[in-house]
Amino acid sequence: MRTFFSLIILGLLFVSTIRGNRTVTGRVTDAITSQPLPGVTVKVKGTSTGTTTDADGHYRITLPNGLQTLVFGHIGFQTMEVKVLKQRVVDVQLNTDIKQLQEVVVVGYGAQQKRSLTGAVPTMPLGVAHEAWVTAPDNTEDYSKIDEPGFRRVQNQPVTTFSVDVDRAAYGNIRRFLNGGNLPPKDAVRIEEMVNYFEYDDPQPTGNDPVAVRTELSESPWNPGLQLLRIGLQAKTIPTDNLPASNLVFLIDVSGSMDAENKLPLVKAALNLLVDQLRPQDRVAMVVYAGAAGLVLPSTPGNERQKIKEAISQLSAGGSTAGGAGIRLAYQVAQENFRKDGNNRVILATDGDFNVGVSSDAEMQRLIEEKRESGVFLSVLGFGMGNYKDNKLEILSDKGNGNYAYIDNLQEAQKVFGKEFGGTLFTVAKDVKLQLEFNPARVRAYRLIGYENRMLNNEDFHNDRKDAGEMGSGHTVTALYELIPAGVESRYLPKVDPLKYQREPRLAAGSDELLTLKIRYKKPDSDKSQLFSHVVNNQPQSWNNTSADFRFAASVAGFGLLLRDSEFKGNARYEQVETLARQALGRDPEGYRSEFIRLVKLAHSLAEGSAVAKKSGEK
């Protein structure tokens, strides 16, 4: 009898063990490059349980005891199934799947409205999607036209002025296109946002100013004989515990256009990540809008996380899009709960497809300019594809004293609301403007790479009423100028007649100064700007003696020039960009720079396929 009961107990223990759970961890890498793969889906076959890899390719998943099958999938790679019985660590290498890249959604962008095609396209070379333009109304994504400025002659225009830009939306959007098997439309490529997506190890401010400046000068890697100047701004980093209390209003688009997996469900997951960062002194309210706007969560303390998350979980999509009404109500709620010495901010999550009430670009701009005077800042989060209105969202963030990010996956949400929490939500300097005066004895001509929609008139530098960009806690901003040194001939400078009445200044000719950089900014609660200046001497370094940050920023800019097919790309090639980036990986704890290299390789393959398809079509 005792033996019988012993067997029963052992059987129950066995069943209990079988029904228990265990945690499996691992890392997913590219089988060819051994680089980590972020954003890989990891699912337990036959269940709804799943997760995705982080920026370094790591994942963690809980699954029932007993034999299970993990399914690893990622766009552009072959799906892999791995049987797991007792393993606690499962590392996986995925192989590139060229056929799969040919079968993703085909999207064309041109002067007319275009159509999205889905289905297998096995006879098309890789990248043909970028050239397959067919007319139909399905795809309505909008991007503002970018006109690249040419080189400015210092003798004629020695002074240049622009606003900083800490937005990173363009990089995430470009990644979405490339991972989907398409090269991005040229106007989606804002090079300054690509460069500023990455962190740089510039020194922290040491004086009273909340921003420090660092400059480096070397040769241009794509135009021999020319020089490249990097200007790096570093905002003061404030520890999270010392950040002022927040008064946040989530403004969520729940219209019918948000009814897609990469829209409202991703919005909800992203906001939950933000909620996990809140402190008891922070407060959150939530406004939603579709055909009309409404308050679904009154201002709630940050330590009531379950209440906030429950309100988020109840969101569902449907109806038209009254964006203007939602914005008005969100600002009203923010003003009703305004904290004098705190961080007052509206966080807008949308695809930008406003179609009811105030919806035109001009109307939206005037509305946001009116509301920013209240002292409430704006953060804009873009989601989705197909009807994405990048042009509208860029205007909103630009005019709303805010920042703009594109969330294409949960890892990007973690970057924005986890790793860069302070920079995303807490402004340390607003209306930051830069003005450079070049010495004509040292520089013949100059060109700012990117920032096309951030250029200011020179007189705007002293006008404190002129809006400019904001910098958050710990933010870095990089600006790259390509320079034609004095006495150097260049094909980028067409022949013009010399000016009759202008003279070379003698003081400039005898000076070793390359330029003078002046920076204006305002403290977050002030309307009066502060000024400091920095002199840059003509002391170029050899390429190999520059910092890893300088070389990596240059590789990202070169990538942007290639994606735009810029007339100023010179000798830039995808192979060169990849080599420069590999040699400048530096400190890359989150794997963002390694991911960049993977995107360069993917863009190279797509561009080659596009060229082959174009050549075949000409025969």
Side-chain angles (χ1 to χ4, degrees):
M1 182 69 72
R2 183 176 298 174
T3 303
F4 175 74
F5 282 114
S6 297
L7 289 173
I8 292 177
I9 292 171
L10 287 172
L12 290 173
L13 288 173
F14 176 75
V15 172
S16 176
T17 301
I18 291 296
R19 291 180 177 175
N21 294 327
R22 68 187 187 278
T23 299
V24 173
T25 62
R27 194 181 195 214
V28 184
T29 56
D30 186 323
I32 298 176
T33 66
S34 297
Q35 295 294 322
L37 293 178
V40 176
T41 59
V42 185
K43 293 186 177 180
V44 181
K45 189 173 183 178
T47 75
S48 59
T49 302
T51 186
T52 54
T53 57
D54 63 17
D56 201 32
H58 289 111
Y59 72 92
R60 175 185 295 270
I61 190 169
T62 300
L63 62 159
N65 283 327
L67 182 62
Q68 304 292 336
T69 300
L70 291 180
V71 182
F72 298 82
H74 195 44
I75 292 176
F77 292 86
Q78 295 175 7
T79 299
M80 177 179 287
E81 294 188 1
V82 179
K83 294 188 181 300
V84 180
L85 181 58
K86 296 182 179 180
Q87 303 98 306
R88 296 287 182 174
V89 177
V90 178
D91 293 330
V92 170
Q93 289 188 324
L94 297 184
N95 292 300
T96 303
D97 187 353
I98 300 299
K99 181 175 180 294
Q100 187 191 91
L101 282 176
Q102 293 171 340
E103 294 177 346
V104 297
V105 177
V106 179
V107 182
Y109 295 86
Q112 303 177 13
Q113 288 182 315
K114 306 299 183 282
R115 178 185 174 195
S116 298
L117 302 176
T118 59
V121 202
T123 59
M124 289 185 178
L126 182 64
V128 72
H130 190 57
E131 298 295 331
W133 293 358
V134 287
T135 58
D138 291 48
N139 191 287
T140 59
E141 294 196 15
D142 280 339
Y143 298 91
S144 298
K145 188 174 185 295
I146 295 177
D147 293 312
E148 281 189 294
F151 280 86
R152 309 295 186 194
R153 296 174 184 269
V154 175
Q155 188 63 33
N156 301 341
Q157 300 179 32
V159 178
T160 173
T161 306
F162 68 99
S163 161
V164 301
D165 182 5
V166 297
D167 296 343
R168 287 95 182 270
Y171 185 84
N173 197 27
I174 290 167
R175 178 175 57 205
R176 183 254 297 187
F177 276 103
L178 294 176
N179 283 335
N182 293 279
L183 292 170
K186 293 180 180 180
D187 291 327
V189 181
R190 293 189 290 273
I191 296 178
E192 73 278 8
E193 295 186 21
M194 297 174 64
V195 173
N196 288 327
Y197 180 84
F198 301 94
E199 287 187 347
Y200 301 100
D201 288 325
D202 293 320
Q204 283 282 320
T206 56
N208 295 325
D209 295 310
V211 178
V213 62
R214 177 189 183 188
T215 58
E216 284 186 272
L217 178 68
S218 187
E219 66 232 46
S220 169
W222 50 78
N223 280 314
L226 275 58
Q227 294 178 323
L228 192 67
L229 170 70
R230 175 181 178 260
I231 301 171
L233 299 183
Q234 173 68 59
K236 183 178 181 180
T237 300
I238 302 175
T240 301
D241 291 344
N242 297 338
L243 291 170
S246 289
N247 161 37
L248 304 178
V249 179
F250 296 164
L251 175 56
I252 315 302
D253 181 353
V254 293
S255 63
S257 69
M258 293 291 287
D259 189 15
E261 282 300 314
N262 61 356
K263 293 187 179 181
L264 188 57
L266 186 55
V267 169
K268 293 159 74 171
L271 293 180
N272 280 329
L273 290 174
L274 173 55
V275 171
D276 289 335
Q277 305 292 320
L278 297 177
R279 304 159 300 174
Q281 62 267 39
D282 301 322
R283 299 187 70 89
V284 173
M286 187 158 62
V287 171
V288 299
Y289 65 94
L295 178 68
V296 298
L297 178 73
S299 187
T300 302
N303 57 351
E304 295 186 22
R305 294 178 182 174
Q306 191 58 37
K307 180 178 179 181
I308 300 170
K309 289 186 175 183
E310 285 177 359
I312 293 173
S313 70
Q314 297 299 314
L315 300 178
S316 60
S320 53
T321 317
I327 289 171
R328 285 195 175 93
L329 179 56
Y331 273 93
Q332 176 186 328
V333 173
Q335 290 164 354
E336 289 172 354
N337 298 279
F338 192 86
R339 310 195 64 156
K340 187 174 184 301
D341 298 318
N343 168 46
N344 300 279
R345 185 174 298 268
V346 171
I347 300 175
L348 169 63
T350 179
D351 58 15
D353 195 4
F354 307 136
N355 52 36
V356 174
V358 175
S359 60
S360 74
D361 291 354
E363 288 176 311
M364 280 292 185
Q365 179 173 331
R366 284 191 288 270
L367 174 60
I368 292 297
E369 287 176 337
E370 169 196 335
K371 296 302 181 183
R372 76 178 180 213
E373 300 301 324
S374 66
V376 177
F377 292 81
L378 176 69
S379 289
V380 177
L381 306 178
F383 293 82
M385 59 186 292
N387 64 329
Y388 186 60
K389 307 301 182 186
D390 175 85
N391 53 350
K392 278 187 169 61
L393 301 187
E394 188 184 15
I395 289 173
L396 292 180
S397 65
D398 182 22
K399 302 303 179 183
N401 281 353
N403 44 55
Y404 172 29
Y406 178 80
I407 309 295
D408 57 331
N409 55 47
L410 198 56
Q411 285 66 44
E412 185 64 15
Q414 177 63 40
K415 181 177 186 288
V416 171
F417 286 140
K419 190 173 186 302
E420 299 174 356
F421 175 72
T424 301
L425 299 184
F426 296 91
T427 299
V428 298
K430 68 178 183 180
D431 292 338
V432 183
K433 308 171 189 175
L434 280 74
Q435 187 169 82
L436 287 73
E437 180 184 1
F438 289 94
N439 180 355
R442 302 297 178 191
V443 181
R444 186 180 181 192
Y446 60 87
R447 189 179 86 87
L448 177 60
I449 300 175
Y451 292 91
E452 289 87 358
N453 57 0
R454 298 286 180 161
M455 299 306 298
L456 299 173
N457 297 323
N458 291 333
E459 57 268 25
D460 293 336
F461 187 71
H462 292 277
N463 183 0
D464 280 352
R465 299 190 63 183
K466 185 67 177 180
D467 183 55
E470 280 63 50
M471 294 187 69
S473 169
H475 265 160
T476 59
V477 170
T478 285
L480 296 171
Y481 274 90
E482 197 166 18
L483 309 179
I484 302 176
V488 173
E489 297 295 327
S490 173
R491 62 189 175 93
Y492 296 127
L493 282 182
K495 182 177 177 58
V496 295
D497 292 333
L499 297 177
K500 181 177 180 180
Y501 301 107
Q502 304 301 314
R503 297 179 181 177
E504 289 281 349
R506 294 183 180 179
L507 178 61
S511 170
D512 193 41
E513 294 180 2
L514 185 78
L515 62 94
T516 296
L517 166 65
K518 293 184 286 187
I519 300 173
R520 280 194 180 274
Y521 69 90
K522 298 174 188 171
K523 294 182 178 179
D525 57 352
S526 175
D527 293 326
K528 184 175 178 59
S529 67
Q530 309 289 322
L531 170 69
F532 69 94
S533 60
H534 177 84
V535 173
V536 181
N537 289 320
N538 186 35
Q539 297 176 346
Q541 297 175 300
S542 65
W543 181 263
N544 291 334
N545 287 334
T546 58
S547 68
D549 284 345
F550 180 94
R551 287 176 276 125
F552 189 81
S555 72
V556 178
F559 186 40
L561 294 175
L562 288 170
L563 291 176
R564 287 192 55 78
D565 192 25
S566 168
E567 65 175 297
F568 305 105
K569 66 180 183 296
N571 298 332
R573 299 291 183 271
Y574 285 105
E575 300 93 335
Q576 179 204 38
V577 169
E578 181 184 345
T579 299
L580 294 179
R582 285 191 185 279
Q583 294 172 348
L585 276 178
R587 190 176 60 85
D588 188 28
E590 305 296 331
Y592 299 131
R593 295 190 179 191
S594 297
E595 182 195 41
F596 170 76
I597 294 173
R598 182 182 68 81
L599 293 178
V600 172
K601 291 169 66 68
L602 181 54
H604 188 189
S605 297
L606 292 168
E608 285 184 337
S610 179
V612 169
K614 185 176 182 180
K615 189 174 181 180
S616 299
E618 293 173 351
K619 291 182 179 180

